[in-house]
């Protein structure tokens, strides 16, 4: 990265793009930079991640409020499943520790 008091930051990314004045380089900013750097290029819009139907425009992350709600429900369900899996692992470890302790007590008698 090259910095100057009079010029904005100049960042060179692994993709070979040079971005001016960006302190971070996200996936969205890389797409924007590619669009700006390739005039006349054919742009392929990504479909909605939920319904896979209409292409997204600009900064959209879902095509409609219904798709945003569904995506949120899916994320909540995944988080809930992850928490349940963690609890299951902890319960199994606790059960194994209790059984090991009971065996030690039985052997000590």
């Amino acid at each position: 990265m090259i910095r100057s008091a009079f010029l904005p930051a100049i960042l060179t990314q692994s993709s070979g793009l040079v971005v001016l004045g960006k302190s971070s380089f996200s996936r969205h900013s890389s797409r924007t930079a590619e669009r700006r750097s390739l005039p006349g290029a054919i742009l392929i819009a990504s479909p909605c991640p939920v319904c896979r139907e209409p292409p997204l425009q600009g900064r959209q992350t879902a095509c409609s409020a219904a798709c945003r709600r569904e995506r949120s429900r899916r994320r909540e369900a995944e988080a809930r499943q992850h928490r349940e899996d963690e609890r299951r692992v902890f319960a199994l470890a606790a059960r194994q520790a209790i059984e090991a302790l009971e065996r030690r007590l039985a052997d000590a008698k």
Side-chain angles (χ1 to χ4, degrees):
M1 180 166 66
I2 303 168
R3 288 210 178 260
S4 165
F6 303 104
L7 298 173
I10 300 173
L11 304 172
T12 305
Q13 303 304 318
S14 60
S15 63
L17 294 173
V18 175
V19 182
L20 300 175
K22 296 282 184 180
S23 60
S24 65
F25 197 70
S26 66
R27 202 170 69 205
H28 173 70
S29 63
S30 69
R31 278 194 232 128
T32 304
E34 286 173 9
R35 285 186 203 136
R36 289 181 187 151
S37 64
L38 301 173
I42 298 172
L43 297 177
I44 301 173
S46 59
C48 175
V50 178
C51 66
R52 298 279 180 206
E53 287 301 317
L56 301 177
Q57 297 176 355
R59 297 175 75 177
Q60 280 185 317
T61 58
C63 66
S64 65
C67 285
R68 283 191 297 278
R69 283 191 302 271
E70 178 61 28
R71 186 182 60 199
S72 177
R73 286 186 193 112
R74 287 179 187 176
R75 286 180 181 169
E76 288 172 356
E78 287 174 8
R80 191 176 320 113
Q81 183 65 43
H82 180 72
R83 286 191 303 270
E84 288 174 4
D85 291 343
E86 282 183 335
R87 288 182 188 134
R88 199 171 292 117
V89 167
F90 289 136
L92 178 63
R95 185 180 329 142
Q96 289 173 345
I98 290 170
E99 289 172 356
L101 230 121
E102 288 175 343
R103 280 193 302 273
R104 283 172 127 186
L105 289 173
D107 290 343
K109 289 183 182 181

